[in-house]
Amino acid sequence: MGQALRRIYNGFTTVLVALVVLLAILLVGVRAVGLMPYTVLSGSMEPKYHVGSLIYVQKTDPMTLEVGDPVTYRMPDGTVVTHRIIEVLEDPVEGRRYRTQGDANEIPDGSPVSAGRIIGKPVFTVPYLGYVSWFVQNPPGTYVVLAGALALLILTMLTDVLFPPKKEEEQKEENAPSEDAGVI
């Protein structure tokens, strides 16, 4: 019975660790391959990008952007926005700029976006993961995640305490053939 509980416990902690690693890759690890994750906070790009989704943005040369491309850029106040390019403006003084508009918005954005404020193009999105990302990045979510990571570490280290390995004598007895063995 003890061995069965130990296997279940080990399986449970293995699944938890795998989920934590997967979540860490989706939230942070993607940066290693040049993708930046951003949480969708408004419905301006519905139905393409739903509120609460996490979008992954790849750095893009602004000169390759065209009308119809979704683009992620930084507003002068630092806010990150993803809207669609509806017009490319060539200005000899200010350089290339882009007029943008959210898919769900009825009017274009107020001022054109300069090429220097472009972060990149969204390449894919994961629904609802933005809620997790937002929670993890802000207290009390940060504290909950740190406490959970510590608890998971303790759980994985407690296997031998909760389910001590059998002594040699017990293992020999368990592996020895029973008296009934061979009797038909």
Side-chain angles (χ1 to χ4, degrees), residues 86-139:
I86 60 169
E87 184 180 6
V88 177
L89 307 166
E90 298 291 347
D91 188 306
V93 176
E94 295 188 40
R96 182 176 261 205
R97 297 180 306 148
Y98 306 90
R99 185 162 314 282
T100 58
Q101 180 177 341
D103 289 355
N105 296 348
E106 293 185 18
I107 59 171
D109 298 336
S111 59
V113 178
S114 66
R117 293 193 326 204
I118 301 292
I119 296 171
K121 280 176 71 171
V123 289
F124 70 94
T125 181
V126 178
Y128 306 110
L129 192 56
Y131 291 124
V132 175
S133 175
W134 189 256
F135 178 75
V136 167
Q137 292 177 31
N138 298 288

Side-chain angles (χ1 to χ4, degrees), residues 45-120:
M45 285 296 286
E46 294 274 356
K48 179 75 175 170
Y49 305 117
H50 298 287
V51 175
S53 294
L54 198 63
I55 59 171
Y56 293 87
V57 177
Q58 186 171 38
K59 189 174 181 173
T60 305
D61 178 2
M63 296 307 174
T64 64
L65 296 172
E66 302 172 348
V67 171
D69 288 341
V71 64
T72 301
Y73 59 93
R74 196 169 301 281
M75 299 283 290
D77 69 357
T79 305
V80 175
V81 176
T82 298
H83 279 172
R84 192 169 305 284
I85 295 173
I86 60 169
E87 184 180 6
V88 177
L89 307 166
E90 298 291 347
D91 188 306
V93 176
E94 295 188 40
R96 182 176 261 205
R97 297 180 306 148
Y98 306 90
R99 185 162 314 282
T100 58
Q101 180 177 341
D103 289 355
N105 296 348
E106 293 185 18
I107 59 171
D109 298 336
S111 59
V113 178
S114 66
R117 293 193 326 204
I118 301 292
I119 296 171

Side-chain angles (χ1 to χ4, degrees), residues 161-175:
V161 173
L162 294 174
F163 307 101
K166 292 184 178 183
K167 296 177 184 162
E168 272 186 50
E169 298 143 12
E170 292 175 3
Q171 285 181 344
K172 284 180 185 175
E173 286 176 16
E174 203 172 88
N175 292 336

Side-chain angles (χ1 to χ4, degrees), residues 3-19:
Q3 289 300 87
L5 283 176
R6 183 183 182 108
R7 281 190 206 105
I8 291 169
Y9 181 83
N10 284 340
F12 175 73
T13 55
T14 300
V15 168
L16 279 179
V17 169
L19 287 173

